[in-house]
Amino acid sequence: MFKIYNTLSRQLEELVPLKDNHVRLYTCGPTVYNYAHIGNYRAYMFEDLLRRWIQYKGMGITQVQNLTDVDDKTIRGSRETGKPLREYTQTYKDAFFEDLKTLNIQPAEHYPAATDCIPEMIELIEKLFEKGLAYKSDDGSVYFPIDKFPEYGKLARLDREGMRSGARVDQDEYDKDNAADFALWKGYVEEDGDVVWDSPWGKGRPGWHIECSAMSQKYLGKTFDLHCGGVDNIFPHHEDEIAQSEGANGCLYSKYWMHNAHLQVEGKKMSKSEGNFFTLREILDKGYSGREIRYELIGTHYRQSLNFTFASLNANRAALARLDEFYAKLQESIGGETEAGELPEWAATLAEKFEAALDDDLNIAGALGALFDGVHEGNKSFPMSGKEALAVSNLWKKIDSVLGFLEPPKEDVPAELIEMANARVEAKKNKDWAEADRLRDAIAAAGWIVQDTPTGPKLKKQ
């Protein structure tokens, strides 16, 4: 069974879908006011590992990841650049999807933008009015009265005695000390410019929290299986989502909640003032690959703080080279074999330990430990028969359906270098060693290494 740590119960629980062995998953996506930073991608990487493991376990999945394109930050950025909100946020939406491809993160089934779901938000707020769980203030904003929802604070484990119902907080993000009535709808102010919608209670725009409640309900229903995000989202964002969703619909919002811990850079909280604030693009510009960054972001248990360091990235490069070397030996051993044999004992042990680790709340350290132990034992098993090597290669690909970094990226070898490698084979057949050496050196000068294998020459980037 696959056990996860449910933030709501503070316990490990078996993940059992509500219906049809199909997990309906909501994951908090980016606020598209800037390029996403590596702290954001730590969360998206955890959710990608979770998604892939759910599929590995034979369950279906429908994932919704929202794009917050209207909030305090996006409006401020739009005004500062003089661009319409939609044009301003589109740049960062496009960048986000490019980054997902770079990191080999599987796409969700739905990416709703907040601005495309305003009618659903208005409908949800109308329901809250009907239930006595919304009131309009003098400035035209609409608030949720937390004292009228007895379970308010159950996710964050807030002390209800310290809550200040009647006091109002209208900013999107605030401290736990500010547990107070929160904004469902913000009345129009001049600073919002042309970012405004009509509603039954006046012109304005939605609050941040109502966006996710409306979008999750639209695509996943009133009750769904699993909601994920960073620990910083537990309060106020997820607490407020629960209150307004369960208050409006009178039923459970999400059965399970999973939250990932923060990311640090070189042992410190990431901040521009520390000079350790990096977007994914800035890491790529330093010469690291998406595959190396993926390995770094995925390699620490999601509930542990991840210390992102460049020394670790360099170590990842060496670790991936070890894995690639093993995979290359497997492919050579397969030769032209098309029928897989039985898995050798060491590989069966690897598979068993890998699965047991990830079934334990995505214990990635245990899974990677099993992988490298397997590679160590596998290296002692060469030479390997073609049938055996093919069976191990199939397991390798199955494991990579979860990890997403095992199979080395295919390199496009220039046609002229392939011709030179083949010409070198002919030169060696003719015992023209000088010509063979010249061709090898020319290939090396172009940045490639030629390796002689039983199935012919292989070219590898230096």
Side-chain angles (χ1 to χ4, degrees):
M1 62 179 70
F2 175 27
K3 288 191 173 182
I4 60 171
Y5 183 81
N6 186 357
T7 308
L8 188 62
S9 66
R10 303 295 198 271
Q11 291 180 344
L12 281 175
E13 299 178 20
E14 182 184 359
L15 178 64
V16 180
L18 291 163
K19 187 178 178 183
D20 301 331
N21 200 35
H22 191 102
V23 175
R24 288 169 295 160
L25 169 66
Y26 189 86
T27 56
C28 285
T31 300
V32 285
Y33 72 103
N34 206 332
Y35 296 106
H37 56 70
I38 53 174
N40 300 133
Y41 285 110
R42 196 275 159 104
Y44 308 149
M45 192 63 66
F46 140 60
E47 292 156 357
D48 185 57
L49 177 64
L50 171 64
R51 173 190 170 90
R52 287 166 177 262
W53 190 244
I54 287 170
Q55 293 172 313
Y56 187 98
K57 297 294 289 183
M59 292 178 266
I61 191 163
T62 298
Q63 181 185 358
V64 176
Q65 186 164 48
N66 67 296
L67 303 173
T68 298
D69 59 352
V70 55
D71 78 328
D72 299 346
K73 293 175 181 175
T74 54
I75 293 172
R76 184 166 58 246
S78 170
R79 287 178 63 86
E80 288 173 354
T81 59
K83 293 180 179 178
L85 182 69
R86 190 170 289 273
E87 180 184 341
Y88 173 74
T89 58
Q90 190 62 48
T91 298
Y92 302 114
K93 289 176 186 176
D94 293 342
F96 170 67
F97 290 118
E98 288 173 17
D99 289 351
L100 293 185
K101 288 181 181 176
T102 298
L103 291 173
N104 195 24
I105 292 176
Q106 286 187 351
E109 281 66 36
H110 304 284
Y111 288 103
T115 52
D116 293 330
C117 298
I118 303 296
E120 289 82 0
M121 297 172 202
I122 291 174
E123 182 181 345
L124 194 55
I125 296 171
E126 285 183 310
K127 264 191 172 183
L128 289 167
F129 268 112
E130 291 169 9
K131 298 282 184 76
L133 291 173
Y135 65 90
K136 184 177 176 180
S137 65
D138 294 339
D139 67 357
S141 296
V142 176
Y143 290 89
F144 184 100
I146 61 173
D147 66 334
K148 293 188 177 180
F149 186 72
E151 291 190 288
Y152 190 83
K154 66 180 177 179
L155 183 68
R157 302 289 174 96
L158 299 181
D159 176 11
R160 287 194 61 85
E161 293 299 317
M163 296 181 193
R164 296 176 296 131
S165 186
R168 294 192 290 266
V169 56
D170 65 356
Q171 64 264 39
D172 291 329
E173 298 167 358
Y174 47 90
D175 298 327
K176 191 176 285 191
D177 290 342
N178 288 338
D181 297 351
F182 59 89
L184 300 166
W185 185 265
K186 298 187 177 186
Y188 180 74
V189 292
E190 189 177 339
E191 289 78 11
D192 288 347
D194 60 356
V195 181
V196 60
W197 288 268
D198 289 320
S199 79
W201 43 86
K203 292 182 180 295
R205 62 181 173 91
W208 176 36
H209 315 298
I210 199 71
E211 296 177 5
C212 286
S213 288
M215 288 186 279
S216 61
Q217 180 175 316
K218 180 176 180 177
Y219 292 95
L220 300 175
K222 294 176 182 178
T223 300
F224 55 93
D225 298 284
L226 177 57
H227 197 313
C228 295
V231 291
D232 52 319
N233 287 142
I234 294 175
F235 186 87
H237 187 45
H238 290 164
E239 195 68 61
D240 292 352
E241 278 186 61
I242 290 173
Q244 62 203 10
S245 299
E246 297 186 0
N249 297 320
C251 58
L252 182 70
Y253 180 43
S254 177
K255 182 179 179 183
Y256 306 99
W257 293 80
M258 296 176 75
H259 292 91
N260 63 277
H262 291 293
L263 175 141
Q264 295 182 319
V265 178
E266 304 291 350
K268 296 180 180 179
K269 183 178 178 181
M270 187 169 60
S271 70
K272 290 181 179 176
S273 61
E274 287 283 354
N276 66 349
F277 183 96
F278 296 106
T279 65
L280 176 65
R281 284 137 195 269
E282 288 168 334
I283 304 291
L284 294 170
D285 287 344
K286 292 179 180 291
Y288 296 97
S289 69
R291 186 180 181 220
E292 290 162 349
I293 299 168
R294 179 181 176 87
Y295 186 107
E296 172 77 354
L297 293 176
I298 212 174
T300 299
H301 190 274
Y302 76 93
R303 287 196 288 121
Q304 294 178 339
S305 179
L306 167 61
N307 186 25
F308 187 99
T309 71
F310 289 98
S312 183
L313 272 176
N314 292 329
N316 295 344
R317 183 171 286 173
L320 287 168
R322 276 182 61 203
L323 296 173
D324 289 349
E325 183 182 358
F326 177 77
Y327 183 72
K329 283 201 246 178
L330 273 182
Q331 303 315 302
E332 287 176 26
S333 298
I334 291 170
E337 184 60 67
T338 57
E339 186 177 335
E342 291 289 321
L343 274 176
E345 185 177 346
W346 63 265
T349 299
L350 157 59
E352 183 181 338
K353 289 184 175 179
F354 181 83
E355 291 181 7
L358 288 178
D359 272 343
D360 181 18
D361 194 32
L362 298 178
N363 176 6
I364 189 65
L368 293 178
L371 175 67
F372 280 98
D373 286 347
V375 167
H376 177 74
E377 293 301 316
N379 275 323
K380 294 191 289 189
S381 300
F382 290 109
M384 210 180 286
S385 72
K387 290 183 183 297
E388 197 172 58
L390 182 56
V392 175
S393 180
N394 289 342
L395 172 63
W396 194 261
K397 291 173 182 175
K398 187 178 179 185
I399 290 174
D400 195 41
S401 71
V402 178
L403 297 180
F405 59 70
L406 284 187
E407 288 199 72
K410 292 180 180 177
E411 297 175 317
D412 293 325
V413 184
E416 61 270 23
L417 294 186
I418 295 174
E419 290 178 13
M420 290 167 70
N422 291 330
R424 180 173 171 271
V425 172
E426 290 302 314
K428 290 176 73 175
K429 280 183 185 175
N430 297 328
K431 299 187 178 180
D432 188 349
W433 310 119
E435 176 63 3
D437 288 347
R438 185 193 72 78
L439 288 165
R440 180 199 63 210
D441 293 343
I443 291 169
W448 294 75
I449 297 170
V450 61
Q451 297 174 323
D452 295 316
T453 76
T455 56
K458 302 285 184 187
L459 287 163
K460 183 180 176 184
K461 197 84 170 168
Q462 287 182 358

